[in-house]
Short mmCIF file of all heavy atoms in Angstrom, two decimals:
data_model
loop_
_atom_site.label_atom_id
_atom_site.label_comp_id
_atom_site.label_asym_id
_atom_site.label_seq_id
_atom_site.Cartn_x
_atom_site.Cartn_y
_atom_site.Cartn_z
N ALA A 1 -17.23 4.94 -9.68
CA ALA A 1 -17.64 4.90 -11.06
C ALA A 1 -17.01 6.01 -11.88
O ALA A 1 -17.28 7.20 -11.54
CB ALA A 1 -19.17 4.77 -11.29
N LEU A 2 -16.31 5.75 -12.85
CA LEU A 2 -15.75 6.82 -13.75
C LEU A 2 -16.31 6.59 -15.11
O LEU A 2 -15.67 6.13 -16.03
CB LEU A 2 -14.18 6.63 -13.65
CG LEU A 2 -13.45 6.65 -12.37
CD1 LEU A 2 -12.03 6.53 -12.43
CD2 LEU A 2 -13.77 8.06 -11.72
N GLY A 3 -17.56 7.05 -15.20
CA GLY A 3 -18.18 6.88 -16.49
C GLY A 3 -18.75 5.53 -16.68
O GLY A 3 -18.51 4.62 -15.87
N VAL A 4 -19.43 5.27 -17.82
CA VAL A 4 -20.14 4.09 -18.02
C VAL A 4 -19.05 2.99 -18.24
O VAL A 4 -18.27 3.12 -19.18
CB VAL A 4 -21.10 4.06 -19.23
CG1 VAL A 4 -21.76 2.82 -19.46
CG2 VAL A 4 -22.09 5.22 -18.91
N GLY A 5 -19.16 1.92 -17.44
CA GLY A 5 -18.42 0.80 -17.77
C GLY A 5 -16.92 0.82 -17.30
O GLY A 5 -16.15 -0.12 -17.40
N LEU A 6 -16.58 1.91 -16.61
CA LEU A 6 -15.15 2.09 -16.13
C LEU A 6 -15.24 2.18 -14.71
O LEU A 6 -15.74 3.07 -14.13
CB LEU A 6 -14.51 3.25 -16.75
CG LEU A 6 -12.99 3.58 -16.38
CD1 LEU A 6 -12.13 2.37 -16.70
CD2 LEU A 6 -12.40 4.81 -17.04
N THR A 7 -14.55 1.31 -13.94
CA THR A 7 -14.62 1.31 -12.54
C THR A 7 -13.20 1.22 -11.99
O THR A 7 -12.37 0.41 -12.39
CB THR A 7 -15.39 0.04 -11.92
OG1 THR A 7 -16.70 0.14 -12.55
CG2 THR A 7 -15.50 0.15 -10.48
N LEU A 8 -12.90 2.09 -10.97
CA LEU A 8 -11.60 2.07 -10.33
C LEU A 8 -11.65 1.29 -9.08
O LEU A 8 -12.54 1.71 -8.18
CB LEU A 8 -11.14 3.54 -10.14
CG LEU A 8 -9.77 3.69 -9.33
CD1 LEU A 8 -8.67 3.09 -10.08
CD2 LEU A 8 -9.53 5.21 -9.03
N LEU A 9 -10.85 0.30 -8.86
CA LEU A 9 -10.87 -0.43 -7.64
C LEU A 9 -9.62 -0.19 -6.88
O LEU A 9 -8.48 -0.33 -7.29
CB LEU A 9 -10.90 -1.88 -7.98
CG LEU A 9 -12.11 -2.49 -8.68
CD1 LEU A 9 -11.98 -3.98 -8.93
CD2 LEU A 9 -13.44 -2.12 -7.98
N LEU A 10 -9.80 0.39 -5.65
CA LEU A 10 -8.72 0.55 -4.66
C LEU A 10 -8.83 -0.35 -3.59
O LEU A 10 -9.64 -0.17 -2.75
CB LEU A 10 -8.79 2.08 -4.24
CG LEU A 10 -8.68 3.19 -5.31
CD1 LEU A 10 -8.81 4.53 -4.67
CD2 LEU A 10 -7.46 3.05 -6.17
N ALA A 11 -7.94 -1.30 -3.59
CA ALA A 11 -8.12 -2.48 -2.54
C ALA A 11 -7.01 -2.47 -1.63
O ALA A 11 -5.84 -2.13 -1.91
CB ALA A 11 -8.19 -3.77 -3.33
N CYS A 12 -7.30 -2.75 -0.39
CA CYS A 12 -6.28 -3.01 0.57
C CYS A 12 -6.89 -4.01 1.64
O CYS A 12 -8.07 -4.21 1.72
CB CYS A 12 -5.94 -1.70 1.33
SG CYS A 12 -7.31 -0.84 2.16
N ASN A 13 -5.97 -4.60 2.42
CA ASN A 13 -6.51 -5.51 3.41
C ASN A 13 -6.40 -4.87 4.81
O ASN A 13 -5.32 -4.28 5.20
CB ASN A 13 -5.56 -6.74 3.46
CG ASN A 13 -5.75 -7.60 2.27
OD1 ASN A 13 -6.91 -7.79 1.82
ND2 ASN A 13 -4.67 -8.17 1.67
N GLN A 14 -7.47 -4.85 5.48
CA GLN A 14 -7.63 -4.15 6.77
C GLN A 14 -8.48 -5.06 7.69
O GLN A 14 -9.36 -5.76 7.28
CB GLN A 14 -8.28 -2.78 6.67
CG GLN A 14 -7.51 -1.81 5.78
CD GLN A 14 -8.27 -0.46 5.58
OE1 GLN A 14 -9.37 -0.41 6.17
NE2 GLN A 14 -7.67 0.43 4.95
N PRO A 15 -8.15 -5.04 8.93
CA PRO A 15 -8.99 -5.80 9.92
C PRO A 15 -10.38 -5.22 9.95
O PRO A 15 -10.68 -4.04 9.70
CB PRO A 15 -8.35 -5.62 11.31
CG PRO A 15 -7.59 -4.35 11.08
CD PRO A 15 -7.12 -4.27 9.64
N ARG A 16 -11.36 -6.14 10.15
CA ARG A 16 -12.87 -5.73 10.20
C ARG A 16 -13.14 -5.27 11.58
O ARG A 16 -13.80 -5.92 12.36
CB ARG A 16 -13.66 -6.90 9.75
CG ARG A 16 -13.58 -7.23 8.28
CD ARG A 16 -14.61 -8.24 7.90
NE ARG A 16 -14.28 -9.59 8.32
CZ ARG A 16 -14.89 -10.28 9.25
NH1 ARG A 16 -15.95 -9.75 9.84
NH2 ARG A 16 -14.57 -11.53 9.53
N THR A 17 -12.78 -3.96 11.85
CA THR A 17 -13.10 -3.34 13.19
C THR A 17 -13.98 -2.18 12.95
O THR A 17 -13.89 -1.58 11.84
CB THR A 17 -11.83 -2.88 13.82
OG1 THR A 17 -11.10 -2.03 13.00
CG2 THR A 17 -10.89 -4.09 14.15
N PRO A 18 -14.94 -1.95 13.84
CA PRO A 18 -15.89 -0.82 13.61
C PRO A 18 -15.07 0.52 13.47
O PRO A 18 -14.07 0.67 14.22
CB PRO A 18 -16.66 -0.86 14.94
CG PRO A 18 -16.52 -2.23 15.48
CD PRO A 18 -15.20 -2.66 15.04
N PRO A 19 -15.43 1.30 12.59
CA PRO A 19 -14.74 2.64 12.40
C PRO A 19 -15.08 3.54 13.57
O PRO A 19 -16.11 3.45 14.24
CB PRO A 19 -15.35 3.24 11.04
CG PRO A 19 -16.65 2.50 10.99
CD PRO A 19 -16.50 1.15 11.58
N GLU A 20 -14.21 4.48 13.83
CA GLU A 20 -14.33 5.49 14.85
C GLU A 20 -15.23 6.65 14.28
O GLU A 20 -15.23 6.94 13.23
CB GLU A 20 -12.95 6.05 15.32
CG GLU A 20 -12.11 5.01 16.01
CD GLU A 20 -12.73 4.47 17.27
OE1 GLU A 20 -13.42 5.11 17.98
OE2 GLU A 20 -12.43 3.22 17.56
N VAL A 21 -15.94 7.20 15.24
CA VAL A 21 -16.89 8.26 14.87
C VAL A 21 -16.15 9.49 14.25
O VAL A 21 -16.47 9.99 13.21
CB VAL A 21 -17.76 8.75 16.06
CG1 VAL A 21 -18.63 9.91 15.59
CG2 VAL A 21 -18.57 7.63 16.62
N GLN A 22 -15.07 9.88 14.91
CA GLN A 22 -14.38 11.08 14.49
C GLN A 22 -13.09 10.76 13.65
O GLN A 22 -12.46 11.63 13.24
CB GLN A 22 -13.93 11.89 15.71
CG GLN A 22 -15.08 12.39 16.54
CD GLN A 22 -16.04 13.30 15.86
OE1 GLN A 22 -15.68 14.09 14.93
NE2 GLN A 22 -17.25 13.27 16.14
N GLY A 23 -12.87 9.51 13.47
CA GLY A 23 -11.67 9.05 12.67
C GLY A 23 -11.88 9.16 11.21
O GLY A 23 -12.84 9.63 10.76
N GLU A 24 -10.82 8.64 10.53
CA GLU A 24 -10.92 8.61 9.12
C GLU A 24 -12.10 7.80 8.56
O GLU A 24 -12.33 6.78 9.18
CB GLU A 24 -9.67 8.09 8.43
CG GLU A 24 -9.58 8.14 7.02
CD GLU A 24 -8.22 7.46 6.55
OE1 GLU A 24 -7.40 7.32 7.32
OE2 GLU A 24 -8.13 7.37 5.33
N ALA A 25 -12.79 8.31 7.59
CA ALA A 25 -13.99 7.55 7.00
C ALA A 25 -13.55 6.14 6.70
O ALA A 25 -12.60 5.99 5.97
CB ALA A 25 -14.60 8.32 5.94
N PRO A 26 -14.26 5.17 7.11
CA PRO A 26 -13.88 3.80 6.85
C PRO A 26 -14.17 3.52 5.37
O PRO A 26 -14.97 4.13 4.79
CB PRO A 26 -14.78 2.92 7.69
CG PRO A 26 -15.90 3.82 7.96
CD PRO A 26 -15.42 5.16 8.14
N VAL A 27 -13.33 2.59 4.70
CA VAL A 27 -13.49 2.39 3.32
C VAL A 27 -14.67 1.35 3.10
O VAL A 27 -14.73 0.40 3.78
CB VAL A 27 -12.14 1.79 2.78
CG1 VAL A 27 -12.29 1.42 1.33
CG2 VAL A 27 -11.05 2.85 2.95
N LEU A 28 -15.46 1.68 2.16
CA LEU A 28 -16.63 0.73 1.85
C LEU A 28 -16.17 -0.58 1.31
O LEU A 28 -15.27 -0.66 0.48
CB LEU A 28 -17.44 1.41 0.85
CG LEU A 28 -18.72 0.57 0.38
CD1 LEU A 28 -19.63 0.39 1.50
CD2 LEU A 28 -19.32 1.17 -0.85
#
């Protein structure tokens, strides 16, 4: 959320695999 009413969407297609504990934080 970037202030009231302004939302930045960063989208990508990725397989639905469980994230690794020490790896890069999975995208919500």
Side-chain angles (χ1 to χ4, degrees):
L2 303 177
V4 179
L6 179 61
T7 302
L8 176 64
L9 301 179
L10 304 177
C12 60
N13 291 319
Q14 299 177 355
R16 290 189 283 112
T17 56
E20 298 297 328
V21 178
Q22 301 297 331
E24 181 179 355
V27 177
L28 176 69

